[in-house]
Amino acid sequence: MLVLYRCALKDLNTRMEILLDDFNNRQENNPIEHIKHRVKSYEAIAEKLHRRNHPVTAESARANLSDIAGLRCICSYAKDIFFIAEVFKRQPDMKVLNEKNYVTEPKPSGYRSYHLILEVPVYLTDSVHHIPVEIQIRTQAMDFWASLEHKIRYKYKQGMPQHLAEGLRQCAVQIYDLDERMYKIQELIDIAY
């Protein structure tokens, strides 16, 4: 089963690399800083199924998890997030299964990112499989916050103390404000030059 997810991720990663080349040829500033991708390990899949009270089987994983394969696109500015999301949504052979805008509607924790679950066709010699792949699109600042927040929350499996959770939420607000300020500076530079 994981072979199909790796194939879907290869396809999506190749499309992303083509976009990178296209952006580099068409415009002065590439909106994509870098991309990351991964397929969940067997252990991570089993843990998530167990935590959600689903059977720990390949069939259950396929039916209940949409993030077995994931690609993260890191952008320069928040406006780039929506542009990249639209580029993916226009791919004629992929279907949007789910979409969540945590950029303008952050989670209560302060988490911001744009999530797309796309159904990616995997063409084999004798069949076609439609595999869900999660794409997370965020700025470098949002990625910095999300990575550290994940590490901190992981240490508090029984629940993070409220004052720490509030501190993280405040940091997320400050990071979003910083993203906006950096974009405004870039706009001023573009106008001047």
Side-chain angles (χ1 to χ4, degrees):
M1 178 188 82
L2 289 185
V3 170
L4 290 172
Y5 285 90
R6 281 194 286 275
C7 291
L9 197 53
K10 279 182 191 176
D11 180 300
L12 207 51
N13 195 50
T14 298
R15 291 176 197 229
M16 185 62 89
E17 288 175 5
I18 291 168
L19 285 176
L20 283 168
D21 288 344
D22 189 36
F23 290 140
N24 284 331
N25 288 326
R26 287 178 183 249
Q27 54 197 54
E28 193 173 309
N29 295 319
N30 190 331
I32 300 172
E33 290 293 329
H34 62 275
I35 53 177
K36 304 174 186 176
H37 55 86
R38 61 98 185 108
V39 174
K40 277 188 186 293
S41 68
Y42 294 112
E43 295 80 14
I45 293 169
E47 186 277 326
K48 191 166 191 176
L49 288 170
H50 180 72
R51 184 170 20 101
R52 292 183 173 184
N53 296 317
H54 294 298
V56 181
T57 64
E59 296 79 26
S60 177
R62 178 112 191 224
N64 296 300
L65 301 180
S66 58
D67 65 344
I68 292 173
L71 185 138
R72 187 170 298 149
C73 176
I74 309 302
C75 298
S76 303
Y77 304 106
K79 73 168 184 67
D80 298 330
I81 293 170
F82 302 104
F83 173 70
I84 298 298
E86 288 304 314
V87 168
F88 276 109
K89 288 167 27 179
R90 286 194 311 261
Q91 298 283 318
D93 62 341
M94 292 193 295
K95 178 180 170 185
V96 176
L97 298 177
N98 197 348
E99 184 173 7
K100 292 184 182 171
N101 178 356
Y102 297 120
V103 176
T104 56
E105 299 172 27
K107 288 184 175 185
S109 66
Y111 175 83
R112 290 180 191 262
S113 187
Y114 199 97
H115 292 203
L116 283 172
I117 308 293
L118 297 178
E119 190 175 72
V120 179
V122 174
Y123 299 95
L124 301 178
T125 55
D126 60 352
S127 60
V128 178
H129 298 265
H130 299 277
I131 305 298
V133 177
E134 180 184 53
I135 300 178
Q136 296 176 353
I137 312 167
R138 56 176 77 143
T139 66
Q140 292 181 83
M142 291 172 191
D143 192 52
F144 166 76
W145 183 90
S147 295
L148 293 180
E149 189 265 355
H150 179 76
K151 289 177 184 176
I152 292 167
R153 282 201 187 274
Y154 187 76
K155 290 182 179 184
Y156 290 100
K157 291 185 183 205
Q158 304 306 322
M160 182 184 297
Q162 184 58 37
H163 71 282
L164 292 178
E166 179 56 26
L168 283 170
R169 193 195 63 72
Q170 289 174 9
C171 286
V173 170
Q174 291 171 337
I175 282 175
Y176 186 74
D177 289 343
L178 180 62
D179 261 347
E180 292 294 307
R181 287 173 54 202
M182 293 297 287
Y183 176 67
K184 287 177 183 168
I185 290 169
Q186 180 62 46
E187 279 187 319
L188 291 173
I189 292 169
D190 288 345
I191 290 169
Y193 296 97

